[in-house]
């Protein structure tokens, strides 16, 4: 019988925000895989590092930080085959996922390749969306408000179109895209309604007004939350 593939959400970074369920399952896993940069440590692994045992086989999926999709696709192809080898041998494999596995998670790449062939269990994690709102002390949406989630990688025109009609929005994947997002928010006169959150839930967390952020220093792990003032209609 083949093993099961687990997508384990490990939350936004604070080890106390990993679910009890993810930790319970992690303890029993013979094989643990995780995304990592070309060089250097894996963020997802660092969140649960103290819970890993030397007996567990580790697979670092080193995803190149390039804009071209092809190299990353080849990395996921190879990682899926390495994981499939363990699953075929009857060993369960956990893939650690920062935040939630199904919310823009790279786990989806493995899920698409492996779920037709193997049983998969996904354990949800606390997403950065929730962690950023909590850190900022800013509700995401209430009553019949619509929350729009936008990757900052969209074109300037696409961001503007979506934000123009958005009541509340979360803009992810900022990094080098921050100047573009800021230009759009300025044009739409939304800067005053925007909060910048960096590395939510970590000790290095920063919460700033948008005009206080130095775009040269905005890391990948940052997000902008926007919410237009609510019209009170009671
Ligand atoms: C590829 S998406 C993965 C989202 C993740 N699966 C989740 O549920 O949070 C990565 C983006 O999530 C946001 N992000 C993740 N962790 C964050 C954190 N601790 N603080 C702020 N933003 C974070 C950033 O916008 C980052 O560019």
């Amino acid at each position: 019988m083949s093993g099961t593939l687990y997508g384990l959400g490990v939350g936004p970074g604070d080890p106390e925000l990993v679910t009890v369920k993810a930790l319970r399952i992690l303890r029993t896993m013979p094989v643990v895989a995780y995304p990592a940069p070309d060089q250097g440590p894996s963020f997802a692994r660092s969140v649960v590092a103290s819970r890993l045992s030397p007996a567990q086989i580790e697979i670092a999926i080193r995803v190149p930080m390039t804009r071209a999709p092809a190299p990353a696709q080849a990395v996921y192809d190879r990682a899926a085959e390495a994981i499939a080898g363990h699953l075929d041998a009857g060993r369960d494999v956990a893939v650690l996922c920062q935040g939630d596995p199904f919310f823009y998670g790279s786990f989806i790449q493995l899920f698409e390749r492996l779920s037709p062939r193997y049983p998969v269990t996904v354990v949800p994690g606390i997403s950065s969306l929730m962690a950023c709102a909590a850190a900022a002390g800013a509700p995401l949406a209430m009553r019949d408000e619509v929350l729009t989630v936008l990757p900052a990688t969209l074109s300037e025109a696409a961001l503007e179109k979506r934000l123009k009609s958005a009541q509340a929005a979360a803009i992810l994947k900022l990094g080098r895209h921050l100047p573009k997002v800021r230009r759009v928010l300025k044009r739409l006169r939304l800067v005053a309604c925007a909060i910048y959150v960096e590395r939510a839930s970590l000790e290095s967390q920063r919460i700033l007004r948008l005009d206080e952020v130095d775009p040269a220093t905005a890391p990948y792990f940052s997000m902008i939350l926007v919410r237009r003032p609510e019209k009170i209609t009671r």
Side-chain angles (χ1 to χ4, degrees), residues 1-6 84-92 117-119:
M1 212 174 73
S2 79
T4 295
L5 175 67
Y6 287 84
H86 288 290
L87 296 172
D88 286 335
R91 286 186 285 276
D92 292 339
R117 288 190 275 157
Y118 302 99

Side-chain angles (χ1 to χ4, degrees), residues 11-14 43 97-106 125-132 171-175 197-202 219-224:
D14 178 349
F43 184 84
C97 314
Q98 190 267 334
D100 180 84
F102 275 171
F103 184 67
Y104 293 101
S106 56
I126 296 179
S127 169
S128 54
L129 197 55
M130 281 68 215
C132 286
I171 308 164
L172 288 77
K173 302 189 183 187
L174 282 181
V197 185
E198 183 178 302
R199 300 193 179 92
S201 86
L202 294 167
Y220 179 69
F221 286 115
S222 60
M223 184 181 302
I224 292 173

Side-chain angles (χ1 to χ4, degrees), residues 131-203:
C132 286
L140 284 173
M142 67 184 290
R143 295 212 289 253
D144 56 357
E145 289 177 358
V146 176
L147 174 67
T148 303
V149 176
L150 297 168
T153 46
L154 292 178
S155 71
E156 193 158 338
L159 285 169
E160 183 153 353
K161 182 170 167 229
R162 305 268 181 180
L163 283 166
K164 202 178 254 172
S165 59
Q167 201 160 23
I171 308 164
L172 288 77
K173 302 189 183 187
L174 282 181
R176 64 190 170 81
H177 298 284
L178 182 80
K180 173 179 69 182
V181 175
R182 190 151 60 180
R183 276 197 303 276
V184 173
L185 291 172
K186 268 193 183 146
R187 276 203 297 277
L188 296 175
R189 299 182 190 283
L190 287 173
V191 170
C193 320
I195 305 173
Y196 168 89
V197 185
E198 183 178 302
R199 300 193 179 92
S201 86
L202 294 167
E203 271 179 25

